[in-house]
Amino acid sequence: MLIEQLINGITLGSIYAIVALGFTLVFGVLGIINMAHGEIFMFGAFIGVVVTATFKGPLWLAFLAAILVTAAMGYMLERFALRPLRSKQGVSHLAPLISTIGVSILLENLSHHLFGPGNHPFRASFAEISFQIGSITIYLVQIVIFVISVLLMYALSFWLGKTKAGKALRATAENLETASLLGVDVKRTITMTVIIASAMGGIAGILVGMAFNSVTPQMGLSIGLKGLAIIILGGMGNVKGAMAGGLILGLAETFVVVYGNSGYKDAIAFVAIIVILLIRPQGLFGQKISA
Amino acid sequence: MLAELINPYHLQVASFILINIILGVSIYITLSTGQLSLANAGFMGIGAYTSALLTLNFDLPIIVGILAGTLMAGLFGIIIGIPTLRLQGVYLAIVTLGFGEVIRVIFVNWESLTKGAVGLSGIPHMGREILNTLKGFGFDPKVLGLQNNQFVFLTIFLLLLVITTSIVMFFRRQNRSRVGRAFAAIKLDEKAAESMGINITYYKVLAFAQGALVAGFAGTLFAHVLAYISPADFAYHRAVEILIFAVFGGSEVIWGPVFGALFLTVMPEVLRFISEYRYMIYGLIIIIMMAVRPQGLIDVNILNWIKLKTSKRGQKHGTSSQKSM
């Protein structure tokens, strides 16, 4: 029982971690909070539903389609909501936040019109396959989710740490103007970052669809807000912090459902950020807070 | 003759415009110190639920409920404001957003008190209570040639008009006072303001608590005008709706959110086919406004231009919002 709940918590936590990674990438480079990330994630989940349930396509095609669509949305977000604000002088630092809130509202209601407000089941053929190890039941989906999220985190760390593009990205995050003086194509790097973050959101969307077997237009908001809570918990712009924060929140929520009142599950994330911001504003793993 | 002119539906819409204007003012107050607070929907909920529960469970008069609800929201504003105002910019926005969510989750889950997601119904209606009181004195709306429900909605509208006008006037005056100048100084540069001897924490908490107070007040009015509230009324969408009043209308001058609330409440009512796409249009408006005109439609320049135009015609000066009402 305990181990099963632990596995559930880790599954949930690794999904949260992927969502949070998307937030953290954009915050690390641009210093802005992308409120539309949750809705892009939700669109990824819907593309998964459309491909597998409506067109009876295979799962890999669903992943591919979701990545392509969410990457395109990431580009549009960068091009129309963020870039116009960057070139302007004297724009309040709250402007990009408000602008992405606009994108999130637009996308949420767009999905209402495109897919309908109800709950869409996600029919993955292997969702019911499970193993028995002793008295513990493990679903194949849980393993797939965990493996994919670990792979994604490794790929991201490798990309950030070892490749030239990753180095350019870190330089841009450090200082935009200096990086551009040193020959980094800042515009391209920023666009790349937003696109990659959005595509990761799309992958997370499909994983959530598989794990919970339900997709609704409102899920973007609730999971997006939790992703936001996680990056504050783990430290803004900190990749390892996002992973750890995701796992902590996933486990905490699972155990509150088991041992406490399930209704208050959704409040944990926010109580946690309120507390963490007051006690340790740089987050659990952050070094210092950027003024 | 009066009876034919008065349409309860129009009056109801007008009442909601006035409540939304109060909400717009509430976010304007915190924004005028440069703080973005997204907790105003939560404060509105606190006000609405406090007043509704007091009048429903203890049969208190509405006016007591409204006062208690407003004060409760203001109290929460101070409690939340003191610790959170150490945070800046986006952090404050996220914490206040989180606070709003926590409040909503509590409303949904505290079923023994709040009836959960179903919400509270049968809340005493402001207009009907007034009518009943007046009837107790032997008054009959027919004296004025009005039907009962026409009279009810007319009273609500007039009452709200007086309340909203006084609130707007109060904060307009406050802007020109010592407090308003302190707010403006903090908005421009916190460090400079502090070195000029302005107690930043005091004024920031003051602005935050005023915003909470006003939002809570709007919440109590909302509860007693609609007679039905549910947690969904005070969720993220409400927070965004309040934000967009200030983003669209402008947050530099108080007429900005007033105009924003007026325009954005009337628009979906007048253009019925639009109301289905309302939130999509809201989203587009936010994106476009941020890219093109981040200070909002109404700013100081526009206001001066309007003043110039109207004074040339030798009229008493006013703003677009007053004219169109």
Side-chain angles (χ1 to χ4, degrees), chain B residues 86-104:
Chain B
R86 301 193 321 190
L87 306 164
Q88 295 196 325
V90 285
Y91 293 91
L92 180 71
I94 294 172
V95 168
T96 49
L97 192 62
F99 168 73
E101 276 298 293
V102 171
I103 293 290
R104 189 187 64 83

Side-chain angles (χ1 to χ4, degrees), chain A residues 82-97:
Chain A
L82 300 179
R83 197 180 294 173
L85 299 181
R86 262 205 310 284
S87 51
K88 268 195 178 164
Q89 291 297 313
V91 174
S92 151
H93 59 287
L94 292 171
L97 179 81

Side-chain angles (χ1 to χ4, degrees), chain A residues 17 30 32 62 78 82 97-98 101 106 124-125 145 202 243-244 253 255 265 283:
Chain A
L30 287 168
I32 62 171
E78 206 307 288
L82 300 179
L97 179 81
I98 297 173
I101 288 179
L106 177 67
S125 48
I145 289 171
M243 285 154 55
E253 283 193 355
F255 281 99
K265 184 186 101 180

Side-chain angles (χ1 to χ4, degrees), chain B residues 48-103:
Chain B
Y49 267 90
T50 310
S51 181
L53 288 171
L54 285 178
T55 47
L56 273 176
N57 295 345
F58 301 104
D59 282 329
L60 290 172
I62 291 181
I63 183 84
V64 177
I66 289 180
L67 278 177
T70 311
L71 289 178
M72 184 70 103
L75 192 68
F76 266 88
I78 297 173
I79 295 172
I80 302 291
I82 291 173
T84 51
L85 289 169
R86 301 193 321 190
L87 306 164
Q88 295 196 325
V90 285
Y91 293 91
L92 180 71
I94 294 172
V95 168
T96 49
L97 192 62
F99 168 73
E101 276 298 293
V102 171
I103 293 290

Side-chain angles (χ1 to χ4, degrees), chain A residues 253-267:
Chain A
E253 283 193 355
T254 313
F255 281 99
V256 163
V257 173
V258 179
Y259 297 109
N261 187 338
S262 62
Y264 287 100
K265 184 186 101 180
D266 292 330

Side-chain angles (χ1 to χ4, degrees), chain B residues 28-50:
Chain B
Y28 163 80
I29 301 165
T30 33
L31 271 175
S32 64
T33 60
Q35 320 284 318
L36 175 61
S37 159
L38 296 172
N40 284 2
F43 290 131
M44 182 189 171
I46 291 177
Y49 267 90
T50 310

Side-chain angles (χ1 to χ4, degrees), chain A residues 12-13 16 226 229-230 233 244-254 268-269:
Chain A
L12 187 65
Y16 284 161
K226 280 177 193 167
I230 290 164
L233 196 66
L247 287 176
I248 292 172
L249 184 65
L251 287 169
E253 283 193 355
T254 313
I268 297 174

